[in-house]
Amino acid sequence: MTAKEAISSHHLHKGFLTIFQEESGLGAWNRRWCSVQDNKIYYWLYPEDEVNMNKEPHGEIDLRHCKSEKVTVASRLDCARPNTFVLVILQPAQPGDRNSIISESN
């Protein structure tokens, strides 16, 4: 499946994903409840949080800025966790951005 096919899919996809995020300059894997809709992956801490309309998503990943041409399984050198895939997302630089374990400022 290409990233563009995933974006144009009209099916509603939901489930748990483990997302690698930066926390205090270090990387951490966090399990999140995700829903793919409107070209974005929205994520919450728990499935109930999505159902509760008063709770905003914990975060979102805009797939329209995905630089990855194909969604494939990550190599074991990149991540020892099985069934891991990598999405490279381009986003505009923000004031104060710096190079880190998961981002690179140009």
Side-chain angles (χ1 to χ4, degrees):
M1 172 185 286
T2 67
K4 288 182 182 177
E5 287 171 336
I7 291 172
S8 64
S9 173
H10 295 290
H11 293 82
L12 188 58
H13 300 282
K14 295 181 180 197
F16 281 103
L17 286 177
T18 305
I19 301 173
F20 188 75
Q21 298 173 300
E22 182 179 356
E23 294 180 4
S24 303
L26 301 173
W29 290 98
N30 297 302
R31 188 171 186 241
R32 302 289 185 240
W33 177 257
C34 298
S35 175
V36 179
Q37 41 186 314
D38 303 325
N39 302 321
K40 295 181 181 180
I41 299 174
Y42 295 96
Y43 56 93
W44 295 263
L45 298 180
Y46 306 103
E48 302 81 38
D49 294 345
E50 179 191 15
V51 176
N52 180 352
M53 296 306 219
N54 294 330
K55 282 226 175 178
E56 291 292 319
H58 193 68
E60 63 184 52
I61 301 168
D62 192 335
L63 296 173
R64 292 173 296 178
H65 302 293
C66 184
K67 184 179 173 185
S68 305
E69 289 191 24
K70 289 192 175 234
V71 178
T72 59
V73 175
S75 80
R76 299 289 275 180
L77 294 173
D78 291 332
C79 180
R81 291 172 176 259
N83 305 315
T84 300
F85 61 91
V86 176
L87 291 177
V88 177
I89 305 293
L90 298 177
Q91 60 186 29
Q94 301 295 319
D97 279 356
R98 63 190 196 303
N99 289 343
S100 71
I101 193 167
I102 62 168
S103 65
E104 182 178 305
S105 298
N106 291 329

